[in-house]
Amino acid sequence: MTTIKIQESREIIDNQEEVVSFLQGQGVIYESWTLSKLDDSLHEKFDLSDSEKESIIEAFREEIEDISARRGYKAWDVISLSPTTPNLEELLKNFQQEHHHTDDEVRFIVSGHGVFIIQGKDGRFFEVHLNPGDLISVPENIRHYFTLSDDKQVVAIRIFVTQEGWVPIY
Ligand SMILES: CSCCC(=O)/C(O)=C/O
Ligand SMILES: [Fe+2]
Ligand code: NI
């Protein structure tokens, strides 16, 4: 379940139909994928080996290939951020700085939580609070930043057109 918070007015949208239609109006792609194919041992696990990251990709391969065929994505990987990530503060400092990318930025939340703060068409920033099973695509050239929720941990699949197109422009 996803929640939208509009920063200036503090309006909250938590009705899922309204969330989907708000995001659609902003050109943000939102999908909800079932977590049932993910092995129990990988739910809410944040210290991941390379082979566990590969198992996460395998669990969602059908969905990844489907969205990639629809939208022309060519690469994917798994990112894990948690208090045990050695350079967490450094990484967060960068994610929390307003930026855009020349490709869209696709993230599927596997475990934990993440918050994208995106500049809306009216110039106001809105927060998208994401939970496991949520996929979002921040459109290309749209200013945004990212932060963690109170749990301070997330595992996400990143899906790219090209890694070069994802380079942040601050
Ligand atoms: C949930 S992935 C971490 C955030 C990220 O990759 C990014 O580019 C934010 O803008
Ligand atoms: Fe970004
Ligand atoms: Ni939750």
Side-chain angles (χ1 to χ4, degrees):
M1 193 181 110
T2 309
T3 307
I4 309 280
K5 291 185 188 163
I6 310 210
Q7 287 196 331
E8 250 175 61
S9 62
R10 298 190 179 185
E11 183 193 348
I12 291 178
I13 306 171
D14 55 10
N15 172 289
Q16 290 312 282
E17 274 177 30
E18 288 174 28
V19 166
V20 171
S21 113
F22 177 86
L23 291 175
Q24 223 167 34
Q26 295 291 344
V28 173
I29 287 166
Y30 170 81
E31 295 187 5
S32 175
W33 293 357
T34 176
L35 295 168
S36 61
K37 285 190 248 169
L38 186 67
D39 193 84
D40 281 349
S41 65
L42 296 172
H43 282 272
E44 299 300 312
K45 184 170 197 301
F46 298 92
D47 268 331
L48 296 167
S49 65
D50 286 348
S51 90
E52 286 171 323
K53 287 183 178 179
E54 196 42 49
S55 301
I56 290 175
I57 295 288
E58 281 312 314
F60 297 102
R61 183 162 293 281
E62 219 177 291
E63 290 83 352
I64 294 170
E65 287 181 351
D66 177 67
I67 196 171
S68 298
R70 279 184 277 131
R71 296 192 45 83
Y73 304 131
K74 295 187 182 70
W76 37 84
D77 67 9
V78 171
I79 183 173
S80 176
L81 303 172
S82 78
T84 61
T85 306
N87 49 347
L88 180 66
E89 289 313 315
E90 190 74 12
L91 290 169
L92 269 185
K93 229 191 284 172
N94 291 332
F95 289 143
Q96 287 167 343
Q97 256 192 74
E98 193 188 301
H99 63 272
H100 68 271
H101 312 269
T102 54
D103 288 343
D104 62 335
E105 175 169 322
V106 188
R107 298 291 183 268
F108 171 69
I109 306 296
V110 177
S111 297
H113 301 88
V115 187
F116 277 92
I117 301 98
I118 303 171
Q119 188 165 35
K121 290 186 170 166
D122 62 0
R124 293 187 300 173
F125 280 81
F126 58 90
E127 300 174 6
V128 188
H129 292 255
L130 298 166
N131 289 294
D134 291 337
L135 175 138
I136 193 176
S137 161
V138 181
E140 61 269 26
N141 301 318
I142 292 293
R143 302 294 285 172
H144 65 276
Y145 54 101
F146 172 86
T147 195
L148 293 172
S149 300
D150 293 343
D151 58 354
K152 290 266 171 267
Q153 51 194 5
V154 73
V155 173
I157 299 178
R158 310 191 296 179
I159 306 175
F160 309 96
V161 183
T162 59
Q163 300 251 3
E164 301 77 54
W166 174 73
V167 173
I169 300 160
Y170 295 106

